[in-house]
Amino acid sequence: MFNKLKEKLSSFKKSAEDTIDEKAVEVEEQNTQPAETSEPEPVKTEPSKTSNNLEQETGSKSGTGFGQKAKAFVFKREFVLDEDDIQDTLWDLEMGLLENDIALSVSEAIVESVKNELVGTRRRIGSDTGKIVEDALKKSLYNIMSANTFDFDEYLKNAEKPVHIVFVGVNGTGKTTTIAKMANLLQNDNYSTVIAAGDTFRAGAIDQIESHANKINTKLIKHQEMGDPAAVVYDAVQYAKSRSIDVVLSDTAGRMHTNVNLMSQLEKVCRVSSPDLIIFVDEAVAGNDAVERAQQFNDNIPIDGSILTKADADSKGGAAISIAYITGKPILYLGIGQGYEDLKKFDPQWFVDQLFE
């Protein structure tokens, strides 16, 4: 995963590391400890020597032995970077981020954060110059990915039941399969589920989700094709309430996000049966298209989080970073395969570590 973005980050790390090495200067630091120690020799008493003789001998030894070692200097390096020193390198970083589907505003925020970490402050170099650059990159990316965290498990545990979750997104991005994966995940965690077949407009959509429901052994509420999606979702919520079911998972139509009628239908669904969570689903490999769709859905029907499918096939990783930043809502899960078990809870630290493994 994310191999192309890894390459760009690695290239920036090497370039910045070389610049730091060029700017670094050696500094002297007094060592208050002896440079080396040895086992003490047995003390020999010589009564014939006067105290004066002893003082002179001891002073002489300390001047050329232990005392001299205690004053030894060790050399380390430190650097101070000006913005001009890494201007070209930061520009290359920004271009690399843009090439990997990270939106312009997000790329600028990352570059600014990295610049603030590296420029203008006197820094001491340890044994690994590259670690300074890598830490700056990791901190910037982690801050973006973890800015709006949401613990889905904790929320579900404490929420009043039934919890109603509406899934939105365009057709063909894995939304229906993701709903089935989520139902399977919840059932494995001992939550009861019911699915609402709210995509009544797309030919075959009801049959598709019914097939999934049968395979994972969960109840499906459906109406006829071209029926009212809001009515289907309403019936599913009422069914859950009457039978003490924990979670309602509502599928919705997914024609293009620019379709005004689609947004009106989604708004009606949410108005008739107020969801507790609205989750946007799209493909990680869709890149900037997914980012644009997430922003437009969020503008019309404010989402609470996102799930990105096909993350295992994503060579860039930019969609996850951009969607989290632009919508201000967390990535909740990643789809990492075709099986019902292939839904991974999103962890910002894991994501950042993947980029530098």
Side-chain angles (χ1 to χ4, degrees), residues 182-257:
M182 180 63 75
N184 181 71
L185 176 70
L186 294 173
Q187 289 178 158
N188 289 340
D189 288 338
N190 297 317
Y191 291 106
S192 54
T193 63
V194 60
I195 295 176
D199 186 357
T200 61
F201 300 116
R202 180 169 60 93
I206 296 175
D207 292 339
Q208 180 187 7
I209 200 165
E210 185 170 27
S211 174
H212 284 306
N214 291 336
K215 289 177 181 177
I216 61 177
N217 195 29
T218 191
K219 176 68 176 178
L220 178 75
I221 303 298
K222 64 178 183 176
H223 288 189
Q224 62 190 20
E225 283 191 12
M226 304 308 294
D228 183 357
V232 181
V233 173
Y234 177 84
D235 286 352
V237 172
Q238 296 309 308
Y239 179 91
K241 288 180 178 178
S242 66
R243 290 165 175 77
S244 299
I245 291 177
D246 296 317
V247 185
V248 181
L249 305 170
S250 294
D251 194 9
T252 61
R255 291 170 298 185
M256 288 306 295
H257 50 288

Side-chain angles (χ1 to χ4, degrees), residues 112-249:
E112 185 67 20
S113 175
V114 172
K115 183 180 74 175
N116 290 339
E117 284 292 311
L118 296 178
V119 169
T121 304
R122 186 175 298 277
R123 298 283 296 275
R124 184 62 55 89
I125 301 176
S127 59
D128 186 359
T129 307
K131 189 174 185 306
I132 294 172
V133 184
E134 184 173 310
D135 286 347
L137 282 166
K138 282 185 173 181
K139 181 178 179 180
S140 174
L141 291 167
Y142 179 79
N143 287 344
I144 284 176
M145 300 307 299
S146 62
N148 298 281
T149 56
F150 177 78
D151 192 324
F152 180 81
D153 294 333
E154 190 68 19
Y155 172 82
L156 205 60
K157 177 182 177 181
N158 297 319
E160 183 179 349
K161 308 301 188 292
V163 174
H164 181 206
I165 305 175
V166 169
F167 293 80
V168 301
V170 302
N171 290 338
T173 59
K175 175 163 52 68
T176 301
T177 304
T178 296
I179 292 171
K181 288 182 179 182
M182 180 63 75
N184 181 71
L185 176 70
L186 294 173
Q187 289 178 158
N188 289 340
D189 288 338
N190 297 317
Y191 291 106
S192 54
T193 63
V194 60
I195 295 176
D199 186 357
T200 61
F201 300 116
R202 180 169 60 93
I206 296 175
D207 292 339
Q208 180 187 7
I209 200 165
E210 185 170 27
S211 174
H212 284 306
N214 291 336
K215 289 177 181 177
I216 61 177
N217 195 29
T218 191
K219 176 68 176 178
L220 178 75
I221 303 298
K222 64 178 183 176
H223 288 189
Q224 62 190 20
E225 283 191 12
M226 304 308 294
D228 183 357
V232 181
V233 173
Y234 177 84
D235 286 352
V237 172
Q238 296 309 308
Y239 179 91
K241 288 180 178 178
S242 66
R243 290 165 175 77
S244 299
I245 291 177
D246 296 317
V247 185
V248 181
L249 305 170

Side-chain angles (χ1 to χ4, degrees), residues 80-100:
V80 180
L81 293 182
D82 297 325
E83 187 171 343
D84 290 343
D85 295 327
I86 57 172
Q87 186 173 10
D88 291 342
T89 304
L90 289 172
W91 173 256
D92 290 339
L93 172 63
E94 184 169 346
M95 292 302 101
L97 296 175
L98 292 172
E99 290 170 10
N100 282 276

